[in-house]
Amino acid sequence: MKPYRKVAIVGAGITKFIHKAKETPKELAWAAAKMTLESCNMKLSDVDAVVHGTAPDAFDGVHMKGEYLAEASGGWNKPYLRCYVGGGTGVFAPAQAWLHIASGAFDTCLAVCEEKMSNCQPHPQGAFLTIFDNFLERPLKPNLLWIFSLEMNRYMSTYGLKIEDIAPVSVKNKNNALDHPSAQAAEPVTLQDVLNSEIMAWPVHRLMVSPTSDGAAAVLLASEEKARQITDKPVWIEGVGWNLDTAYWTNRDLCYPQYVEKAVRMAYEMADIKEPKKEIHIAEPYDPFAYKELHHMEGLLLCDKGKAPEDLALGRFDRQKGSLPACPSGGLLGVGNPIAAAGMMKVCELFWQLRGEAGKRQVPGQPKKAVAQAWGDLMQVGTVLVCGVN
Amino acid sequence: MPAAITRVKGKIPIENSYTSGLAGEKTLKAIKEHGEFIGTSCPTCNWTYFPARMFCERCFSRILENDKSVGPEGTLEAVSLVNIDQSGKKTKPYYVGLIKLDKADTKLLHHIKGAKGLVPRPGARVRPVFNSPDKRRGSITDILAFELV
């Protein structure tokens, strides 16, 4: 895919991620959208089009949730699109906003993601139960953890990994998140804490799982010409990619996320990145579970297959000293996981990191290129954004 | 052939618990405690929302703190006589309508009470009939209906 013209992120905003927000979904979405416009001194009337990303309607408990959230996302009387690829939505939404502008259709586009999982009772798990095949799987009474425990096990057995090789992801991310003002699950945990936490479905331990959250996050995108008028520090979207594997999740080889590789190859090609291991300075891989960060670092072609745990152990992903910091935000494990908003949080992080505005979380050495990725649907989609500054 | 081979029953086992939000709580509390209609108003757009909103959808300003008392009377904008219930069964006919409360720019959906020999029509003036204070629970149904003035 060849973009027609360059597109930049010019503003970003995020609410706190919390367990039970008193605000309505609309109030959350508006807060993030408003903050985004204020971050770059733009008004709602400066926005040409709006893209909204939100995961299953069941979470907020509102059918046609895209329509419900339209005016709260700035979409009143504007061209408006709601997009949805499950957990992958948070990175898919800015990619769709990018299309709005790269195509030449619009000069500015606000991308807003929101999720309010606490509306869902007794647990959002209830919504997930029906993703399974009605004849082959639902009679077995599966829950979502089955997939993740089996996938983690497959990853471990393929490469001879131990739980101790994977658990440090939780330690890194939950500690990184201590410096994120929106964080819900930041904790100064140790490896021992993670290993001692409850085993939910072996080998997945409680502290290797991101929490359910309420929250919203947003970015404003602009064409090159507009972006240069709005800010001195545009963060260019240099590549986008997305890809879906089969919904028959049992038939994929769970040791490797092929769909992420296909998505990121699309994005790297657009961004003219030939050696991602050297050219990418920061990664925000999707980390709803500890092993997924490692899995995704491999899928993003940033680590050799099966070697991400070794890189992790060698400190390559450390925020201060590592050569390729992963999840400097604190990730879903630390900041929280309001599904679509969590992916967007990663895009916001790239924006702040590449502008040198990430505060205590700032990756040293003036990073120039970064990648954010999300994952979802029936664990089959990879969505990717590559960003850069000159 | 046993039915179970061709068909299985299933449901999505969730319930929802909705918050009224920072703005919604303000409106429901005023109805419950004072039988009053409190909306919020946007000075930039000169537009008043009822129920209260946290933000103006037109200009995105925060308006949560900009309370405005509206109604209690209003004008009927549209009306229908309903003959079936939610499940499609025949029911005793009742009126529903859209009410533009005085000083508000938005419309409210509610039940309309007819009166002897009077049929509610668009343009008619209406006023709220509240449940007794001890029975109100902070719900839109604390207003039993709107009746013709």
Side-chain angles (χ1 to χ4, degrees), chain B residues 74-80 96-101 104-108 112 121-126:
Chain B
T75 305
L76 206 49
E77 274 225 350
V79 69
S80 174
V96 296
L98 291 179
I99 303 129
K100 189 166 179 303
L101 292 173
D105 292 293
T106 54
K107 267 84 74 175
L108 184 70
I112 310 296
R121 294 192 197 283
R125 296 287 294 166
V126 291

Coordinates of all heavy atoms in Angstrom, one line a residue, chain B residues 74-80 96-101 104-108 112 121-126:
Chain B
G74 N -43.6 22.1 29.7 CA -43.0 22.1 28.3 C -44.1 22.0 27.3 O -45.3 22.0 27.6
T75 N -43.6 21.8 26.1 CA -44.5 21.7 24.9 C -44.3 20.4 24.2 O -43.2 19.9 24.0 CB -44.2 22.9 23.9 OG1 -44.3 24.1 24.6 CG2 -45.2 22.9 22.8
L76 N -45.4 19.8 23.9 CA -45.4 18.5 23.2 C -45.0 18.7 21.8 O -45.6 19.5 21.0 CB -46.8 17.9 23.3 CG -47.0 16.4 23.3 CD1 -46.0 15.7 24.2 CD2 -48.4 16.0 23.6
E77 N -43.9 18.0 21.3 CA -43.5 18.1 20.0 C -44.0 17.0 19.0 O -44.2 17.2 17.9 CB -41.9 18.1 19.9 CG -41.3 19.4 20.2 CD -40.2 19.7 19.2 OE1 -39.8 18.8 18.4 OE2 -39.8 20.8 19.2
A78 N -44.1 15.8 19.6 CA -44.6 14.7 18.8 C -45.3 13.7 19.8 O -44.9 13.7 20.9 CB -43.5 14.0 18.1
V79 N -46.3 13.0 19.3 CA -47.0 12.1 20.2 C -47.5 10.9 19.4 O -47.6 10.9 18.2 CB -48.3 12.9 20.8 CG1 -49.3 13.2 19.7 CG2 -48.9 12.2 21.9
S80 N -47.6 9.8 20.2 CA -48.1 8.5 19.6 C -49.0 7.8 20.6 O -48.8 7.9 21.8 CB -46.9 7.6 19.2 OG -47.4 6.3 18.8
V96 N -47.3 8.2 24.3 CA -45.9 8.6 24.6 C -45.6 9.9 23.7 O -46.3 10.1 22.7 CB -44.8 7.5 24.2 CG1 -45.0 6.3 25.1 CG2 -44.9 7.2 22.7
G97 N -44.7 10.7 24.2 CA -44.4 11.9 23.4 C -43.0 12.4 23.6 O -42.3 12.0 24.5
L98 N -42.7 13.3 22.8 CA -41.4 14.1 23.0 C -41.8 15.5 23.5 O -42.6 16.2 22.9 CB -40.7 14.2 21.6 CG -40.1 13.0 21.0 CD1 -39.4 13.3 19.7 CD2 -39.0 12.3 22.0
I99 N -41.1 15.8 24.6 CA -41.4 17.1 25.3 C -40.3 18.0 25.2 O -39.1 17.6 25.6 CB -41.8 16.8 26.8 CG1 -42.9 15.8 26.9 CG2 -42.1 18.1 27.5 CD1 -42.7 14.7 27.8
K100 N -40.5 19.2 24.8 CA -39.5 20.2 24.8 C -39.7 21.1 26.1 O -40.7 21.8 26.1 CB -39.5 21.1 23.6 CG -38.3 22.0 23.5 CD -38.2 22.6 22.1 CE -37.1 23.6 22.0 NZ -37.1 24.7 22.9
L101 N -38.9 20.8 27.1 CA -39.1 21.5 28.4 C -38.8 23.0 28.2 O -37.8 23.3 27.4 CB -38.2 20.9 29.5 CG -38.6 19.5 29.9 CD1 -37.5 19.0 30.9 CD2 -40.0 19.5 30.6
A104 N -35.1 24.6 27.8 CA -34.2 23.6 27.3 C -34.2 23.5 25.8 O -35.2 23.9 25.2 CB -34.5 22.2 27.8
D105 N -33.1 23.1 25.1 CA -33.0 23.0 23.7 C -33.1 21.6 23.2 O -33.1 21.3 22.0 CB -31.7 23.6 23.2 CG -31.8 25.1 23.4 OD1 -32.6 25.8 22.7 OD2 -31.0 25.6 24.2
T106 N -33.2 20.7 24.2 CA -33.3 19.2 23.9 C -34.7 18.7 24.2 O -35.5 19.4 24.8 CB -32.2 18.5 24.7 OG1 -32.5 18.8 26.1 CG2 -30.8 18.9 24.3
K107 N -34.9 17.5 23.7 CA -36.3 16.9 24.0 C -36.2 15.7 24.9 O -35.2 15.0 24.9 CB -36.9 16.5 22.6 CG -37.8 17.6 22.0 CD -37.0 18.6 21.2 CE -36.6 18.1 19.9 NZ -36.0 19.1 19.1
L108 N -37.3 15.5 25.6 CA -37.3 14.4 26.5 C -38.4 13.4 26.1 O -39.5 13.9 25.8 CB -37.6 14.9 28.0 CG -37.6 13.9 29.1 CD1 -36.2 13.4 29.4 CD2 -38.2 14.6 30.4
I112 N -47.3 10.2 28.2 CA -48.2 11.4 28.3 C -49.6 10.9 28.8 O -50.1 9.9 28.3 CB -48.4 12.0 26.9 CG1 -47.0 12.3 26.2 CG2 -49.2 13.3 26.9 CD1 -46.1 13.3 26.9
R121 N -51.9 16.5 21.6 CA -51.5 16.8 20.2 C -50.2 17.7 20.3 O -50.0 18.3 21.2 CB -52.6 17.6 19.5 CG -53.9 16.8 19.3 CD -54.8 17.5 18.3 NE -56.1 17.0 18.4 CZ -56.5 15.9 17.9 NH1 -55.7 15.1 17.3 NH2 -57.8 15.4 18.0
P122 N -49.4 17.6 19.2 CA -48.3 18.4 19.1 C -48.6 19.9 19.4 O -49.7 20.4 18.9 CB -47.8 18.2 17.7 CG -48.2 16.9 17.3 CD -49.6 16.7 18.0
G123 N -47.8 20.6 20.1 CA -48.1 22.0 20.5 C -48.8 22.1 21.8 O -48.8 23.2 22.4
A124 N -49.3 21.0 22.4 CA -50.0 21.1 23.7 C -49.0 21.4 24.8 O -47.9 20.9 24.7 CB -50.8 19.8 23.9
R125 N -49.5 22.1 25.8 CA -48.6 22.4 26.9 C -48.8 21.2 27.9 O -49.9 20.7 28.2 CB -49.0 23.7 27.6 CG -48.8 24.9 26.7 CD -47.4 25.3 26.6 NE -46.8 25.7 27.9 CZ -45.5 25.8 28.2 NH1 -44.6 25.5 27.2 NH2 -45.1 26.2 29.3
V126 N -47.7 20.8 28.5 CA -47.7 19.7 29.5 C -46.9 20.0 30.7 O -46.0 20.9 30.7 CB -47.2 18.4 28.8 CG1 -48.1 17.8 27.8 CG2 -45.8 18.5 28.2

